[in-house]
Amino acid sequence: MTEFLTDPVFLSRVQFALTTAFHITFPTLTIGLAVYLVVVEWLWLRTGDLLYFRQFRFWSRLFAVNFAVGVVSGIPLEFQFGTNWGPFSATVGNFFGQILGFEGTMAFMLESAFLYLMLFGWKRVGPKMHFFSTIMVAFGSSLSAFWILVANSWMQTPSGGHLAGGIFVVDDYLAAVFSPDLPLAFSHMYLACLEVTLFVVGAVSGANILLGRNVPFFLKSFKIAALAAMVVAPLQAFVGDSNGQEIGRLQPAKVAAIEAHWDTNKPGTGAPWNMLAWPDPRNERNFFEIQIPYALSLLITHSPTGTVPGLKDFPREDRPPIVLPFYAFRLMVGVGFAMMAVMAWTVWAWRQGRLSPERAPGERYLYYAWGLMAGGAYLAVLMGWVTREVGRQPWLAYGLIRTGEGHSDLAAGAVWLSLTGFVAAYAVLFTLFLFFMAKLVRKGPDMAELPPPGHGVAG
């Protein structure tokens, strides 16, 4: 353990993981909440129902706080490519740097410019322009996610160029942008953003219904979130399954590590799925394992006897860590199934008439489940990211540049100093975030608020 604490490469990885894990929780909600705001503003314009206008006003305040912390926490990530991962940036910067630049200038600037009109432009622009601004904020936040996934997917499956003299030279820009990993990885991540948002909206709404505060208002937002989640949760399971198959084709060593699968199954036999196991990398086996026969072949190839390469097929120096992705993946999948169970419960309660304004406050345990799943949705995002990034090791760009080769010449003490600073700064930032979010939620919607003149029905 001591050797890890004095290893600057390991410490830089910890620092990047910590700052990413902190940052990623904010844009996931921002992206989904922006879509939610588009929906409720469209319903407001279409129906003239003041409840939708007030929905927009309440949730847009939470959006603003979340957006601000997301921006502040995201800035250090890009700086670390220069401070801690200089050789990597020098090798791939002529492509990777441009992608991060696109994210900043194309997506973030678009989102920021229209954010002002969305939050403060009610008295300055008409309803159509305001709605357009909300759409642009949602589009900008989604575009930002796209460019970040372009960069990350390229690290998973580098394409569209070659190394020449230690520098990545782009031969086909479109092939580099649309790397093989991108379509399903972006879809999987985007649906995760929507899931986080829907369960956060549902959990906040459920808590307020339980407390008897503005029940008609929060019952409306709870039902909108529940209806959308009934579609998104199963769709995410389908996309996740497809993504698993694709990773099996593109990064077989990663799948073997995620599944603690050591030996390639022989022709005509199925690879078992390790439901639980404790890997022993030194001796290339598992200390113990609880298996389901044929299940891994079915999951990865959709054939009971499909071939799944085992870890022993890959040189030791090319194998990812096993324990972390193995259990992170199972946590993510477990939360996904729990979400679908909560959805089934919600459908049943709705069909039984238990979500009427009179009976809804009595559904205590249903709202507890939604609250649990809101936290679970964040956990699933983080565990998915851990599975994805740790499973890519020992490569920074898969098969192109190793993690150790891309690290700056830094002393462990220097990394410890910056790591400690990030922990302290993020602790303060997170405390402020919780304070302001709790204050806004406690205050609740302003049920007397009316739209400004020219923005629909008054009174």
Side-chain angles (χ1 to χ4, degrees), residues 154-237:
W154 183 85
M155 291 171 72
Q156 304 288 337
T157 52
S159 56
H162 66 280
L163 281 178
I167 302 294
F168 182 76
V169 178
V170 178
D171 301 317
D172 183 338
Y173 210 85
L174 280 179
V177 169
F178 294 96
S179 64
D181 179 70
L182 179 66
L184 285 170
F186 175 69
S187 304
H188 198 36
M189 187 64 209
Y190 196 79
L191 288 170
C193 295
L194 296 182
E195 276 190 310
V196 165
T197 302
L198 295 172
F199 278 94
V200 167
V201 170
V204 171
S205 302
N208 279 280
I209 295 169
L210 201 57
L211 294 169
R213 296 193 301 215
N214 299 306
V215 171
F217 177 91
F218 283 111
L219 189 56
K220 180 78 80 177
S221 51
F222 181 82
K223 287 182 175 179
I224 293 173
L227 275 173
M230 287 170 196
V231 176
V232 172
L235 184 60
Q236 176 70 309

Side-chain angles (χ1 to χ4, degrees), residues 1-57:
M1 187 66 184
T2 308
E3 63 195 54
F4 286 118
L5 300 180
T6 56
D7 179 359
V9 178
F10 176 76
L11 292 173
S12 289
R13 288 179 59 199
V14 170
Q15 178 175 291
F16 199 83
L18 176 76
T19 50
T20 302
F22 182 80
H23 169 69
I24 199 173
T25 57
F26 300 101
T28 48
L29 184 60
T30 302
I31 291 164
L33 210 47
V35 176
Y36 182 86
L37 291 174
V38 170
V39 171
V40 292
E41 187 168 7
W42 176 76
L43 289 169
W44 151 241
L45 292 174
R46 187 174 174 81
T47 66
D49 185 343
L50 281 172
L51 210 53
Y52 291 120
F53 168 74
R54 289 163 185 157
Q55 287 279 343
F56 182 94
R57 296 290 287 165

Side-chain angles (χ1 to χ4, degrees), residues 147-376:
W147 285 120
I148 292 299
L149 261 297
V150 166
N152 186 265
S153 288
W154 183 85
M155 291 171 72
Q156 304 288 337
T157 52
S159 56
H162 66 280
L163 281 178
I167 302 294
F168 182 76
V169 178
V170 178
D171 301 317
D172 183 338
Y173 210 85
L174 280 179
V177 169
F178 294 96
S179 64
D181 179 70
L182 179 66
L184 285 170
F186 175 69
S187 304
H188 198 36
M189 187 64 209
Y190 196 79
L191 288 170
C193 295
L194 296 182
E195 276 190 310
V196 165
T197 302
L198 295 172
F199 278 94
V200 167
V201 170
V204 171
S205 302
N208 279 280
I209 295 169
L210 201 57
L211 294 169
R213 296 193 301 215
N214 299 306
V215 171
F217 177 91
F218 283 111
L219 189 56
K220 180 78 80 177
S221 51
F222 181 82
K223 287 182 175 179
I224 293 173
L227 275 173
M230 287 170 196
V231 176
V232 172
L235 184 60
Q236 176 70 309
F238 172 75
V239 171
D241 175 65
S242 303
N243 197 30
Q245 280 190 290
E246 187 74 348
I247 293 171
R249 187 176 66 83
L250 299 171
Q251 296 173 297
K254 177 190 280 189
V255 165
I258 291 171
E259 304 298 349
H261 176 60
W262 292 100
D263 297 296
T264 303
N265 53 306
K266 295 175 182 175
T269 65
W273 181 61
N274 291 317
M275 192 165 60
L276 282 177
W278 191 259
D280 176 13
R282 183 186 298 273
N283 296 304
E284 298 184 316
R285 64 187 179 92
N286 296 324
F287 283 119
F288 78 92
E289 54 201 12
I290 301 174
Q291 296 185 325
I292 300 177
Y294 299 98
L296 184 57
S297 288
L298 276 171
L299 287 170
I300 301 301
T301 69
H302 284 192
S303 163
T305 56
T307 300
V308 182
L311 278 163
K312 290 180 183 174
D313 285 8
F314 305 94
R316 282 179 181 268
E317 64 272 19
D318 290 346
R319 298 175 190 171
I322 304 170
V323 175
L324 200 50
F326 181 88
Y327 282 101
F329 176 74
R330 278 150 184 77
L331 270 173
M332 178 189 70
V333 173
V335 170
F337 279 109
M339 284 176 170
M340 287 197 284
V342 172
M343 282 303 93
W345 183 2
T346 306
V347 170
W348 176 81
W350 205 333
R351 286 178 62 85
Q352 294 291 315
R354 294 170 179 266
L355 296 183
S356 64
E358 299 76 22
R359 299 179 66 185
E363 290 300 306
R364 175 183 302 271
Y365 294 108
L366 180 63
Y367 305 134
Y368 287 165
W370 274 78
L372 197 61
M373 285 303 98

